[in-house]
Amino acid sequence: MKHKTGIDQQNAGAGQDRRTFIRSSLLAATVLPQLFSTGKASAADFVMKLSGLQHDFDVVIYGATPAGIAAAVAAGREGKRAVLIEPLPIAGGVMSGGLSFSDSNQMAREALKGIFEEFHLRVENHYTGKGVKLPYSVSVKDNKPWTYEPHVAERIFHQMLDEAGVTVMLGETLRRVKRKGTAIRSLRTLSGKTFSGKVFIDASYEGDLMAAAGVKYRVGRESRDEFNEPLAGAIYPKKPVKLDVYDAQGKPLPYISTTRLAPEGQGDNMIMTYSFRFCFTRDPANRVPFTKPENYDPAAYELIRRYLKAYPDTERLIDLYPLPGNKLDGNNGIGLQLSIGLVGLNAGYPDGSARQRQAIWDAHTEYCKGLFHFLTTDPDIPEKVRKQMDGLGYAKDEFTSFGHFPPVLYVREARRMEGEYFLTEKDILHDLAKPDSIGIGSFPIDSHDCQRIATEDGFINEGTIFPKHLKTRKIGPPYQMPYRAITPKAAECSNLLVPVCLSSSHVAFSSVRVEPAWIVLGQSAGIAAALAIEEGVTVQQLDYAKLAARLEKAGQVLKLPA
């Protein structure tokens, strides 16, 4: 477990630099009236604003994830000037990037109202307007997947942002922040733009703004003893695999992450697997076939070849979920021994430099492109896996600007803040009530593999936490998510809210880490930011009774369901 102060992470945001950035145009700004209305503009301010490099807002949100969009829309609806800044050329995070049903089927949907429900009602209306009958109804709070196509999610997110008057800046990566005392005054991007604000929200998956602002955070897993969490640290629920996993020189094959067997319950710097969420189809009219990557090396997939030869009854290496439009959502299989995630090879991503993050991103891309070619062409692929891959390809009408490959890496876990309240396993499973609830979580604790360890006679995937549901419903225990978990300690930063990389242990985060919970937290953060501005107080000084009233007026559910 690594503890970080964040004060040396001023350039951490550069780690989100990507090769294919584009920039959306800034909405027309009334620069000169803003500049001279105070009578205190300096020559530098004048030059910055006149050149279009200085932009002033009430609420500045970094990260156009679903949580960031919810925060921006909520702040805009509260009458605040909000800007949403995103390093990637796409808004909507993984929901626009391939995650086409967002896990609410394992949650208490009666407690997921507000912007989350509104988004899905808009999805339903979209398909109804096209004459498409969905296999679910948003008004029925059952456990059917609420599915959508990625481009539909992206379109609806932009509609909501436009209607709320939010300024959207894509392709803008954080470079550094400027502080005065405990307050952030502005952030500057790599392009040279400066965005000043009264309250800032870090809704990025990585927590880059939080780190750059000097807020303490963690990366990795706590030991079992630190907070008395039975699920913490190294954990081995998956069965070991008997297989020869060494090459002719006695070295582990590619995609074995370590040879060290971690003691049960030991903490470390490992985090759960990243992957992409693919949008596939078998429709010949809309299918883009998999192609052989330029640097394809079949030897890189020797571990998979040997595994499939030793276990020929293996049915799949990818979890597939049906979508509208005759498409399929392709996901890393939490219960599979081998799948589309690079197990154990992402630990350097949260605090990595731009070059290091790009290398990890590229490794995931190259692995998947090569894997799909391998599974569809190699003669050693067994019949059941070949049958799953038969006729599969990328959806031609998705991710059209990115070669039909997902433009967003599924960063399931990165930094985690050490804030005013630190969530642990007991808050998810036992101590469910909080005096400052800003929403209800109920996704079961669920962690994908953290590392793949070579053993004397095979390998074992370590770190998996399989979801454990209630006896009466296929959900986790509903619990109140506290406002204090998204606020930094007052001495560290007084005008920042962190709804995604919130204050929690690895185990607790493994429940909160899904988009429905993050959208709820994002909406509450946007409203809290607006209220703090109106009241003229820090985010930590906000009167909870006033906040709760404002949240409930906006449709948020704060009380535990029966």
PDB file of all heavy atoms in Angstrom, residues 399-422:
ATOM      1  N   PHE A 399     -17.479   3.922 -32.426  1.00  0.00           N
ATOM      2  CA  PHE A 399     -16.090   4.399 -32.315  1.00  0.00           C
ATOM      3  C   PHE A 399     -15.494   4.657 -33.694  1.00  0.00           C
ATOM      4  O   PHE A 399     -14.362   4.259 -34.002  1.00  0.00           O
ATOM      5  CB  PHE A 399     -15.229   3.402 -31.542  1.00  0.00           C
ATOM      6  CG  PHE A 399     -15.878   2.829 -30.305  1.00  0.00           C
ATOM      7  CD1 PHE A 399     -15.808   1.482 -30.021  1.00  0.00           C
ATOM      8  CD2 PHE A 399     -16.577   3.647 -29.429  1.00  0.00           C
ATOM      9  CE1 PHE A 399     -16.408   0.947 -28.886  1.00  0.00           C
ATOM     10  CE2 PHE A 399     -17.188   3.118 -28.291  1.00  0.00           C
ATOM     11  CZ  PHE A 399     -17.099   1.769 -28.020  1.00  0.00           C
ATOM     12  N   THR A 400     -16.262   5.328 -34.531  1.00  0.00           N
ATOM     13  CA  THR A 400     -15.871   5.515 -35.935  1.00  0.00           C
ATOM     14  C   THR A 400     -14.622   6.376 -36.087  1.00  0.00           C
ATOM     15  O   THR A 400     -13.929   6.265 -37.092  1.00  0.00           O
ATOM     16  CB  THR A 400     -17.027   6.137 -36.727  1.00  0.00           C
ATOM     17  OG1 THR A 400     -17.437   7.364 -36.100  1.00  0.00           O
ATOM     18  CG2 THR A 400     -18.214   5.183 -36.791  1.00  0.00           C
ATOM     19  N   SER A 401     -14.334   7.219 -35.112  1.00  0.00           N
ATOM     20  CA  SER A 401     -13.129   8.060 -35.172  1.00  0.00           C
ATOM     21  C   SER A 401     -11.908   7.351 -34.613  1.00  0.00           C
ATOM     22  O   SER A 401     -10.809   7.915 -34.614  1.00  0.00           O
ATOM     23  CB  SER A 401     -13.358   9.370 -34.408  1.00  0.00           C
ATOM     24  OG  SER A 401     -14.410  10.122 -34.967  1.00  0.00           O
ATOM     25  N   PHE A 402     -12.091   6.132 -34.128  1.00  0.00           N
ATOM     26  CA  PHE A 402     -11.003   5.425 -33.442  1.00  0.00           C
ATOM     27  C   PHE A 402     -10.770   4.033 -34.025  1.00  0.00           C
ATOM     28  O   PHE A 402     -10.317   3.131 -33.318  1.00  0.00           O
ATOM     29  CB  PHE A 402     -11.317   5.329 -31.946  1.00  0.00           C
ATOM     30  CG  PHE A 402     -11.689   6.638 -31.316  1.00  0.00           C
ATOM     31  CD1 PHE A 402     -13.018   6.980 -31.133  1.00  0.00           C
ATOM     32  CD2 PHE A 402     -10.714   7.548 -30.943  1.00  0.00           C
ATOM     33  CE1 PHE A 402     -13.377   8.198 -30.568  1.00  0.00           C
ATOM     34  CE2 PHE A 402     -11.054   8.771 -30.381  1.00  0.00           C
ATOM     35  CZ  PHE A 402     -12.385   9.100 -30.198  1.00  0.00           C
ATOM     36  N   GLY A 403     -11.118   3.854 -35.280  1.00  0.00           N
ATOM     37  CA  GLY A 403     -10.923   2.552 -35.899  1.00  0.00           C
ATOM     38  C   GLY A 403     -11.799   1.481 -35.309  1.00  0.00           C
ATOM     39  O   GLY A 403     -11.452   0.282 -35.364  1.00  0.00           O
ATOM     40  N   HIS A 404     -12.925   1.880 -34.691  1.00  0.00           N
ATOM     41  CA  HIS A 404     -13.917   0.977 -34.113  1.00  0.00           C
ATOM     42  C   HIS A 404     -13.419   0.276 -32.853  1.00  0.00           C
ATOM     43  O   HIS A 404     -14.068  -0.625 -32.337  1.00  0.00           O
ATOM     44  CB  HIS A 404     -14.390  -0.061 -35.132  1.00  0.00           C
ATOM     45  CG  HIS A 404     -14.709   0.542 -36.459  1.00  0.00           C
ATOM     46  ND1 HIS A 404     -15.805   1.350 -36.661  1.00  0.00           N
ATOM     47  CD2 HIS A 404     -14.038   0.506 -37.654  1.00  0.00           C
ATOM     48  CE1 HIS A 404     -15.811   1.773 -37.915  1.00  0.00           C
ATOM     49  NE2 HIS A 404     -14.759   1.280 -38.536  1.00  0.00           N
ATOM     50  N   PHE A 405     -12.265   0.732 -32.350  1.00  0.00           N
ATOM     51  CA  PHE A 405     -11.695   0.183 -31.119  1.00  0.00           C
ATOM     52  C   PHE A 405     -12.044   1.128 -29.970  1.00  0.00           C
ATOM     53  O   PHE A 405     -12.022   2.347 -30.130  1.00  0.00           O
ATOM     54  CB  PHE A 405     -10.172   0.056 -31.253  1.00  0.00           C
ATOM     55  CG  PHE A 405      -9.519  -0.814 -30.222  1.00  0.00           C
ATOM     56  CD1 PHE A 405      -9.349  -2.164 -30.458  1.00  0.00           C
ATOM     57  CD2 PHE A 405      -9.070  -0.282 -29.021  1.00  0.00           C
ATOM     58  CE1 PHE A 405      -8.741  -2.981 -29.508  1.00  0.00           C
ATOM     59  CE2 PHE A 405      -8.471  -1.073 -28.065  1.00  0.00           C
ATOM     60  CZ  PHE A 405      -8.306  -2.437 -28.310  1.00  0.00           C
ATOM     61  N   PRO A 406     -12.366   0.611 -28.796  1.00  0.00           N
ATOM     62  CA  PRO A 406     -12.788   1.482 -27.686  1.00  0.00           C
ATOM     63  C   PRO A 406     -11.762   2.571 -27.380  1.00  0.00           C
ATOM     64  O   PRO A 406     -10.574   2.278 -27.230  1.00  0.00           O
ATOM     65  CB  PRO A 406     -12.928   0.518 -26.504  1.00  0.00           C
ATOM     66  CG  PRO A 406     -13.189  -0.807 -27.128  1.00  0.00           C
ATOM     67  CD  PRO A 406     -12.409  -0.815 -28.409  1.00  0.00           C
ATOM     68  N   PRO A 407     -12.207   3.815 -27.259  1.00  0.00           N
ATOM     69  CA  PRO A 407     -11.287   4.922 -27.005  1.00  0.00           C
ATOM     70  C   PRO A 407     -11.024   5.184 -25.525  1.00  0.00           C
ATOM     71  O   PRO A 407     -10.292   6.105 -25.183  1.00  0.00           O
ATOM     72  CB  PRO A 407     -12.017   6.115 -27.630  1.00  0.00           C
ATOM     73  CG  PRO A 407     -13.465   5.793 -27.435  1.00  0.00           C
ATOM     74  CD  PRO A 407     -13.571   4.293 -27.561  1.00  0.00           C
ATOM     75  N   VAL A 408     -11.644   4.383 -24.650  1.00  0.00           N
ATOM     76  CA  VAL A 408     -11.509   4.602 -23.208  1.00  0.00           C
ATOM     77  C   VAL A 408     -11.065   3.305 -22.550  1.00  0.00           C
ATOM     78  O   VAL A 408     -11.705   2.264 -22.711  1.00  0.00           O
ATOM     79  CB  VAL A 408     -12.837   5.070 -22.584  1.00  0.00           C
ATOM     80  CG1 VAL A 408     -12.643   5.378 -21.095  1.00  0.00           C
ATOM     81  CG2 VAL A 408     -13.380   6.297 -23.306  1.00  0.00           C
ATOM     82  N   LEU A 409      -9.959   3.360 -21.808  1.00  0.00           N
ATOM     83  CA  LEU A 409      -9.496   2.214 -21.035  1.00  0.00           C
ATOM     84  C   LEU A 409     -10.323   2.126 -19.758  1.00  0.00           C
ATOM     85  O   LEU A 409     -10.575   3.136 -19.092  1.00  0.00           O
ATOM     86  CB  LEU A 409      -8.015   2.371 -20.689  1.00  0.00           C
ATOM     87  CG  LEU A 409      -7.347   1.231 -19.920  1.00  0.00           C
ATOM     88  CD1 LEU A 409      -7.333  -0.053 -20.744  1.00  0.00           C
ATOM     89  CD2 LEU A 409      -5.919   1.620 -19.515  1.00  0.00           C
ATOM     90  N   TYR A 410     -10.764   0.931 -19.423  1.00  0.00           N
ATOM     91  CA  TYR A 410     -11.597   0.727 -18.239  1.00  0.00           C
ATOM     92  C   TYR A 410     -10.692   0.719 -17.003  1.00  0.00           C
ATOM     93  O   TYR A 410     -10.213  -0.308 -16.559  1.00  0.00           O
ATOM     94  CB  TYR A 410     -12.361  -0.587 -18.371  1.00  0.00           C
ATOM     95  CG  TYR A 410     -13.523  -0.769 -17.401  1.00  0.00           C
ATOM     96  CD1 TYR A 410     -14.381  -1.849 -17.547  1.00  0.00           C
ATOM     97  CD2 TYR A 410     -13.758   0.110 -16.355  1.00  0.00           C
ATOM     98  CE1 TYR A 410     -15.456  -2.043 -16.685  1.00  0.00           C
ATOM     99  CE2 TYR A 410     -14.811  -0.068 -15.490  1.00  0.00           C
ATOM    100  CZ  TYR A 410     -15.661  -1.145 -15.653  1.00  0.00           C
ATOM    101  OH  TYR A 410     -16.713  -1.330 -14.792  1.00  0.00           O
ATOM    102  N   VAL A 411     -10.492   1.911 -16.449  1.00  0.00           N
ATOM    103  CA  VAL A 411      -9.681   2.079 -15.242  1.00  0.00           C
ATOM    104  C   VAL A 411     -10.592   1.808 -14.049  1.00  0.00           C
ATOM    105  O   VAL A 411     -11.285   2.692 -13.554  1.00  0.00           O
ATOM    106  CB  VAL A 411      -9.075   3.495 -15.181  1.00  0.00           C
ATOM    107  CG1 VAL A 411      -8.307   3.717 -13.878  1.00  0.00           C
ATOM    108  CG2 VAL A 411      -8.145   3.713 -16.376  1.00  0.00           C
ATOM    109  N   ARG A 412     -10.594   0.586 -13.601  1.00  0.00           N
ATOM    110  CA  ARG A 412     -11.506   0.206 -12.524  1.00  0.00           C
ATOM    111  C   ARG A 412     -11.100   0.784 -11.174  1.00  0.00           C
ATOM    112  O   ARG A 412     -11.945   0.967 -10.289  1.00  0.00           O
ATOM    113  CB  ARG A 412     -11.582  -1.325 -12.422  1.00  0.00           C
ATOM    114  CG  ARG A 412     -12.282  -1.986 -13.593  1.00  0.00           C
ATOM    115  CD  ARG A 412     -12.388  -3.493 -13.403  1.00  0.00           C
ATOM    116  NE  ARG A 412     -13.232  -4.107 -14.420  1.00  0.00           N
ATOM    117  CZ  ARG A 412     -12.785  -4.557 -15.590  1.00  0.00           C
ATOM    118  NH1 ARG A 412     -11.484  -4.475 -15.885  1.00  0.00           N
ATOM    119  NH2 ARG A 412     -13.620  -5.080 -16.473  1.00  0.00           N
ATOM    120  N   GLU A 413      -9.827   1.048 -11.007  1.00  0.00           N
ATOM    121  CA  GLU A 413      -9.330   1.540  -9.717  1.00  0.00           C
ATOM    122  C   GLU A 413      -8.001   2.237  -9.961  1.00  0.00           C
ATOM    123  O   GLU A 413      -7.168   1.751 -10.726  1.00  0.00           O
ATOM    124  CB  GLU A 413      -9.144   0.368  -8.740  1.00  0.00           C
ATOM    125  CG  GLU A 413      -8.553   0.749  -7.409  1.00  0.00           C
ATOM    126  CD  GLU A 413      -8.287  -0.453  -6.506  1.00  0.00           C
ATOM    127  OE1 GLU A 413      -8.252  -1.592  -7.036  1.00  0.00           O
ATOM    128  OE2 GLU A 413      -8.127  -0.261  -5.289  1.00  0.00           O
ATOM    129  N   ALA A 414      -7.794   3.364  -9.314  1.00  0.00           N
ATOM    130  CA  ALA A 414      -6.517   4.070  -9.416  1.00  0.00           C
ATOM    131  C   ALA A 414      -6.168   4.619  -8.033  1.00  0.00           C
ATOM    132  O   ALA A 414      -5.990   3.869  -7.090  1.00  0.00           O
ATOM    133  CB  ALA A 414      -6.596   5.159 -10.480  1.00  0.00           C
ATOM    134  N   ARG A 415      -6.114   5.947  -7.915  1.00  0.00           N
ATOM    135  CA  ARG A 415      -5.885   6.543  -6.600  1.00  0.00           C
ATOM    136  C   ARG A 415      -7.174   6.511  -5.775  1.00  0.00           C
ATOM    137  O   ARG A 415      -8.264   6.503  -6.329  1.00  0.00           O
ATOM    138  CB  ARG A 415      -5.418   7.992  -6.743  1.00  0.00           C
ATOM    139  CG  ARG A 415      -4.117   8.166  -7.524  1.00  0.00           C
ATOM    140  CD  ARG A 415      -3.784   9.649  -7.561  1.00  0.00           C
ATOM    141  NE  ARG A 415      -2.514   9.915  -8.212  1.00  0.00           N
ATOM    142  CZ  ARG A 415      -2.383  10.385  -9.460  1.00  0.00           C
ATOM    143  NH1 ARG A 415      -3.460  10.635 -10.182  1.00  0.00           N
ATOM    144  NH2 ARG A 415      -1.192  10.620  -9.969  1.00  0.00           N
ATOM    145  N   ARG A 416      -7.016   6.554  -4.454  1.00  0.00           N
ATOM    146  CA  ARG A 416      -8.157   6.666  -3.547  1.00  0.00           C
ATOM    147  C   ARG A 416      -7.804   7.682  -2.463  1.00  0.00           C
ATOM    148  O   ARG A 416      -6.795   7.544  -1.768  1.00  0.00           O
ATOM    149  CB  ARG A 416      -8.523   5.310  -2.916  1.00  0.00           C
ATOM    150  CG  ARG A 416      -8.825   4.215  -3.929  1.00  0.00           C
ATOM    151  CD  ARG A 416      -9.321   2.951  -3.235  1.00  0.00           C
ATOM    152  NE  ARG A 416      -8.502   2.577  -2.102  1.00  0.00           N
ATOM    153  CZ  ARG A 416      -7.366   1.906  -2.159  1.00  0.00           C
ATOM    154  NH1 ARG A 416      -6.874   1.529  -3.344  1.00  0.00           N
ATOM    155  NH2 ARG A 416      -6.700   1.615  -1.075  1.00  0.00           N
ATOM    156  N   MET A 417      -8.616   8.683  -2.322  1.00  0.00           N
ATOM    157  CA  MET A 417      -8.357   9.775  -1.386  1.00  0.00           C
ATOM    158  C   MET A 417      -8.395   9.295   0.071  1.00  0.00           C
ATOM    159  O   MET A 417      -9.089   8.339   0.406  1.00  0.00           O
ATOM    160  CB  MET A 417      -9.401  10.875  -1.613  1.00  0.00           C
ATOM    161  CG  MET A 417      -9.265  12.083  -0.702  1.00  0.00           C
ATOM    162  SD  MET A 417     -10.381  13.433  -1.165  1.00  0.00           S
ATOM    163  CE  MET A 417     -11.990  12.680  -0.820  1.00  0.00           C
ATOM    164  N   GLU A 418      -7.649  10.009   0.919  1.00  0.00           N
ATOM    165  CA  GLU A 418      -7.781   9.877   2.370  1.00  0.00           C
ATOM    166  C   GLU A 418      -8.487  11.140   2.854  1.00  0.00           C
ATOM    167  O   GLU A 418      -7.860  12.151   3.147  1.00  0.00           O
ATOM    168  CB  GLU A 418      -6.412   9.720   3.042  1.00  0.00           C
ATOM    169  CG  GLU A 418      -5.693   8.436   2.677  1.00  0.00           C
ATOM    170  CD  GLU A 418      -4.380   8.270   3.438  1.00  0.00           C
ATOM    171  OE1 GLU A 418      -4.171   8.977   4.442  1.00  0.00           O
ATOM    172  OE2 GLU A 418      -3.568   7.433   3.025  1.00  0.00           O
ATOM    173  N   GLY A 419      -9.805  11.088   2.919  1.00  0.00           N
ATOM    174  CA  GLY A 419     -10.596  12.276   3.180  1.00  0.00           C
ATOM    175  C   GLY A 419     -11.126  12.373   4.594  1.00  0.00           C
ATOM    176  O   GLY A 419     -10.612  11.758   5.527  1.00  0.00           O
ATOM    177  N   GLU A 420     -12.198  13.169   4.736  1.00  0.00           N
ATOM    178  CA  GLU A 420     -12.775  13.428   6.061  1.00  0.00           C
ATOM    179  C   GLU A 420     -13.338  12.153   6.680  1.00  0.00           C
ATOM    180  O   GLU A 420     -13.369  12.008   7.899  1.00  0.00           O
ATOM    181  CB  GLU A 420     -13.870  14.490   5.945  1.00  0.00           C
ATOM    182  CG  GLU A 420     -13.358  15.897   5.673  1.00  0.00           C
ATOM    183  CD  GLU A 420     -12.815  16.567   6.930  1.00  0.00           C
ATOM    184  OE1 GLU A 420     -12.973  16.012   8.040  1.00  0.00           O
ATOM    185  OE2 GLU A 420     -12.230  17.659   6.808  1.00  0.00           O
ATOM    186  N   TYR A 421     -13.829  11.238   5.841  1.00  0.00           N
ATOM    187  CA  TYR A 421     -14.301   9.940   6.337  1.00  0.00           C
ATOM    188  C   TYR A 421     -13.757   8.873   5.412  1.00  0.00           C
ATOM    189  O   TYR A 421     -13.832   9.002   4.182  1.00  0.00           O
ATOM    190  CB  TYR A 421     -15.832   9.872   6.377  1.00  0.00           C
ATOM    191  CG  TYR A 421     -16.352   8.610   7.031  1.00  0.00           C
ATOM    192  CD1 TYR A 421     -16.614   8.586   8.397  1.00  0.00           C
ATOM    193  CD2 TYR A 421     -16.558   7.445   6.301  1.00  0.00           C
ATOM    194  CE1 TYR A 421     -17.077   7.427   9.014  1.00  0.00           C
ATOM    195  CE2 TYR A 421     -17.011   6.288   6.903  1.00  0.00           C
ATOM    196  CZ  TYR A 421     -17.267   6.277   8.267  1.00  0.00           C
ATOM    197  OH  TYR A 421     -17.703   5.119   8.874  1.00  0.00           O
ATOM    198  N   PHE A 422     -13.200   7.801   5.978  1.00  0.00           N
ATOM    199  CA  PHE A 422     -12.571   6.746   5.194  1.00  0.00           C
ATOM    200  C   PHE A 422     -13.447   5.497   5.242  1.00  0.00           C
ATOM    201  O   PHE A 422     -13.598   4.852   6.276  1.00  0.00           O
ATOM    202  CB  PHE A 422     -11.179   6.447   5.761  1.00  0.00           C
ATOM    203  CG  PHE A 422     -10.315   5.626   4.845  1.00  0.00           C
ATOM    204  CD1 PHE A 422      -9.660   6.207   3.779  1.00  0.00           C
ATOM    205  CD2 PHE A 422     -10.151   4.264   5.057  1.00  0.00           C
ATOM    206  CE1 PHE A 422      -8.844   5.449   2.933  1.00  0.00           C
ATOM    207  CE2 PHE A 422      -9.345   3.502   4.224  1.00  0.00           C
ATOM    208  CZ  PHE A 422      -8.695   4.103   3.158  1.00  0.00           C
TER     209      PHE A 422
END
